[in-house]
C-alpha cells in the first residue's frame, strides 16, 4: 500500500506591530507540515493562512486534508515540501549554487518607523523600501516623500486594494514628478478593474499581488497586455509555473516575496527566488523575503539574523533547520492513500 503521510506542528507568530494593511497585531496561527511520500522521501512545508484575504482557517484546512481535500494554499505547501524532500534526499541545501537576491526593507506600520531605523537600513545597503499604505494616506504621503527625498530610497507602495481611485490619484499628484520616478511600483492600489487600473498606470507603474486571481489573463495578448508591469509572486500562494508563463508572455517583471509567514516559508520563497534569478536574471527584481523580523524571535528566526538586505544562509538540507525540524513534536494526520 502506498500512502502519503502528513504530520503537522502548529505554531504561533507574534507580530511586533500591525502587519499588512489589513491585519491587526494579534498572534497569527500557522502549521509546519512534514510530508513523507511513498518513494520514501520526506520534506517540510509551511501552511500560513490569511483569513483576511479569504483563506480558510488553519484548523479547517487541516480537517479538510484529513478527509483528503486539499485547499489551494495546501497545494502550494505540498509542492514546496516536495522540492524540499528532493533536496533532502541528496543532503543538498536548496540555496546551493543559487544567486542571492537583495530584499526590500519592509515598513509595516508607518506610525512606528524611526529615523534611527531608517538610517540603519540605509547603512545596511537596502535600496528599496516597501511601504504598506492605505490606512492614513496623508501620513503615508509625508513618509514616502521623506524616504525618497531625505533618505534616497526607492519605493514600493502597497495599498492592499484599500485606496479609492480618487485617493490614489491625489496621492500620486502630490508627489512631484522627479520624486515619482523613484517609485518603482504601486502594488494593488484598489480592487482589479481594467479601466481603473489602466488609468492609474498612466501615473506610475503598477504591480499585481493579491489581485492576481482577479486578472482576466486570457483576455490579454502580447499586443494588448495587462495594465501592470510587475507580478508580486508569493510561492506560498500562487502557482509559480503559471505566473512565470504570464510574465514571459506579457514581458512582466517579478518581485518574489514571502507570505509574511514562518521562516520555513521564508526560505522556500528565497530558494525559488534564487532559482528564478539564475534562470531569468532580467525578470527578477529585488525580493521581499526578509519578513521574519516582523515577528518576535523564535528558535527558527534566531538562525536568520538580520544581515543587511540579504538573508543569511541556513545550514542543513532542503530549506535547512534540520535539527529543529526533527525535534518538533509532530502530530500525524490520518495516512492518505
Ligand atoms: Mg501586497
Amino acid at each position: 500500500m502506498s500512502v502519503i503521510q502528513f504530520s503537522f506542528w502548529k505554531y504561533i507568530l507574534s507580530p511586533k506591530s500591525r502587519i499588512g494593511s489589513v491585519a491587526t497585531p494579534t498572534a497569527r496561527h500557522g502549521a509546519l507540515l512534514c510530508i513523507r511520500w511513498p518513494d520514501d522521501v520526506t520534506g517540510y512545508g509551511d501552511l500560513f493562512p490569511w483569513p483576511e484575504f479569504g483563506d480558510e482557517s488553519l484548523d479547517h484546512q487541516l480537517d479538510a486534508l484529513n478527509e483528503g481535500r486539499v485547499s489551494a494554499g495546501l497545494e502550494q505547501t505540498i509542492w514546496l515540501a516536495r522540492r524540499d524532500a528532493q533536496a533532502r534526499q541528496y543532503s543538498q541545501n536548496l540555496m546551493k549554487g543559487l544567486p542571492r537576491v537583495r530584499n526590500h526593507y519592509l515598513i509595516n506600520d508607518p506610525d512606528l518607523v524611526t529615523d534611527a531605523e531608517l538610517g540603519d537600513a540605509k547603512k545596511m545597503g537596502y535600496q528599496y523600501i516597501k511601504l504598506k499604505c492605505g490606512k492614513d494616506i496623508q501620513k503615508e504621503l509625508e513618509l514616502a516623500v521623506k524616504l525618497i527625498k531625505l533618505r534616497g530610497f526607492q519605493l514600493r507602495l502597497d495599498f492592499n486594494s484599500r485606496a479609492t481611485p480618487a485617493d490614489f490619484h491625489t496621492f500620486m499628484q502630490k508627489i512631484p514628478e522627479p520624486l515619482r520616478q523613484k517609485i518603482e511600483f504601486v502594488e494593488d492600489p484598489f480592487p482589479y478593474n481594467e479601466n481603473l487600473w489602466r488609468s492609474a498606470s498612466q501615473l506610475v507603474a503598477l504591480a499585481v499581488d493579491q489581485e492576481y486571481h482577479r486578472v482576466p489573463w486570457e483576455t490579454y495578448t502580447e499586443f494588448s497586455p495587462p495594465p501592470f508591469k510587475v507580478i508580486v509572486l508569493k510561492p506560498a500562494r500562487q502557482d509559480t509555473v503559471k505566473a512565470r508563463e504570464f510574465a514571459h508572455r506579457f514581458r512582466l517583471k517579478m518581485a518574489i516575496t514571502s507570505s509574511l509567514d514562518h521562516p520555513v516559508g521564508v526560505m522556500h520563497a528565497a530558494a525559488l527566488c534564487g532559482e528564478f534569478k539564475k534562470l531569468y536574471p532580467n525578470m527578477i527584481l529585488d525580493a521581499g523575503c526578509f519578513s521574519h523580523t516582523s515577528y518576535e524571535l523564535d528558535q527558527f528566526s534566531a538562525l536568520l539574523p538580520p544581515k543587511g538586505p540579504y538573508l543569511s544562509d541556513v545550514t542543513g538540507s532542503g530549506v535547512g533547520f534540520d535539527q529543529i525540524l526533527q525535534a518538533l513534536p509532530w502530530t500525524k494526520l490520518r495516512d492518505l492513500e
Side-chain angles (χ1 to χ4, degrees):
M1 188 171 68
S2 58
V3 293
I4 303 177
Q5 295 167 348
F6 289 90
S7 307
F8 65 89
W9 174 73
K10 290 185 187 177
Y11 63 79
I12 291 174
L13 298 180
S14 307
K16 289 180 185 164
S17 71
R18 187 170 56 89
I19 58 165
S21 293
V22 292
T24 48
T26 49
R28 303 205 61 92
H29 297 264
L32 296 184
L33 291 191
C34 171
I35 308 175
R36 189 177 177 82
W37 276 271
D39 55 351
D40 216 24
V41 297
T42 299
Y44 299 92
D46 181 25
L47 179 62
F48 189 72
W50 281 91
E52 295 90 338
F53 294 121
D55 294 349
E56 287 171 338
S57 72
L58 177 67
D59 286 337
H60 190 103
Q61 292 191 54
L62 289 175
D63 286 347
L65 180 61
N66 223 357
E67 290 162 13
R69 287 185 289 121
V70 175
S71 63
L74 260 166
E75 263 183 40
Q76 289 309 108
T77 308
I78 294 168
W79 181 74
L80 291 166
R82 180 73 192 176
R83 284 165 46 88
D84 180 69
Q86 283 163 339
R88 278 179 200 278
Q89 188 181 11
Y90 299 103
S91 301
Q92 272 210 0
N93 192 287
L94 272 172
M95 296 298 295
K96 192 179 171 213
L98 297 180
R100 302 315 194 245
V101 180
R102 198 175 50 195
N103 291 282
H104 62 226
Y105 187 85
L106 180 63
I107 296 181
N108 282 310
D109 190 343
D111 288 341
L112 297 181
V113 72
T114 62
D115 279 344
E117 184 185 341
L118 295 175
D120 285 348
K122 191 76 196 170
K123 257 183 257 159
M124 282 193 279
Y126 285 95
Q127 293 191 11
Y128 291 89
I129 286 198
K130 174 159 169 171
L131 181 59
K132 293 277 188 179
C133 296
K135 189 185 165 221
D136 181 340
I137 295 227
Q138 191 51 40
K139 201 178 261 178
E140 292 148 8
L141 180 63
E142 283 164 28
L143 180 58
V145 170
K146 180 172 150 186
L147 290 170
I148 298 171
K149 225 174 164 174
L150 300 181
R151 297 289 184 177
F153 288 113
Q154 287 183 267
L155 298 189
R156 298 170 164 184
L157 306 176
D158 184 3
F159 283 88
N160 276 112
S161 315
R162 280 165 39 122
T164 62
D167 278 348
F168 173 79
H169 283 264
T170 309
F171 191 108
M172 285 306 144
Q173 267 146 8
K174 284 195 176 163
I175 298 184
E177 179 57 38
L179 298 190
R180 215 186 292 162
Q181 287 176 10
K182 297 288 180 187
I183 299 175
E184 186 191 23
F185 57 73
V186 171
E187 196 175 316
D188 292 343
F190 27 81
Y192 193 76
N193 171 295
E194 162 79 30
N195 291 335
L196 294 177
W197 275 53
R198 207 165 283 287
S199 147
S201 72
Q202 306 298 312
L203 292 171
V204 68
L206 299 182
V208 67
D209 176 24
Q210 305 291 346
E211 297 298 320
Y212 176 92
H213 297 291
R214 291 195 193 160
V215 175
W217 294 98
E218 68 289 350
T219 64
Y220 297 117
T221 67
E222 205 184 320
F223 306 104
S224 162
F228 47 83
K229 295 269 185 268
V230 178
I231 295 176
V232 176
L233 175 65
K234 294 183 163 70
R237 303 183 64 81
Q238 282 144 286
D239 181 332
T240 57
V241 177
K242 214 170 226 172
R244 185 187 55 195
E245 275 171 27
F246 290 143
H248 275 140
R249 196 181 312 162
F250 303 121
R251 298 172 195 278
L252 307 173
K253 306 272 187 197
M254 285 210 243
I256 297 179
T257 80
S258 74
S259 174
L260 270 167
D261 46 359
H262 188 278
V264 164
V266 165
M267 291 316 291
H268 268 301
L272 195 103
C273 185
E275 214 170 287
F276 273 23
K277 186 74 182 176
K278 190 174 179 180
L279 294 168
Y280 322 107
N282 298 323
M283 185 196 279
I284 301 302
L285 304 173
D286 276 27
C289 295
F290 204 110
S291 58
H292 54 288
T293 49
S294 297
Y295 301 102
E296 299 299 340
L297 197 70
D298 64 17
Q299 57 177 335
F300 287 89
S301 57
L303 297 180
L304 284 169
K307 199 187 118 192
Y310 296 91
L311 279 166
S312 304
D313 285 344
V314 182
T315 55
S317 301
V319 290
F321 307 110
D322 298 7
Q323 283 89 349
I324 309 177
L325 288 167
Q326 278 155 23
L328 291 177
W330 297 97
T331 303
K332 254 191 177 182
L333 276 181
R334 190 171 61 84
D335 294 348
L336 295 175
E337 278 186 56

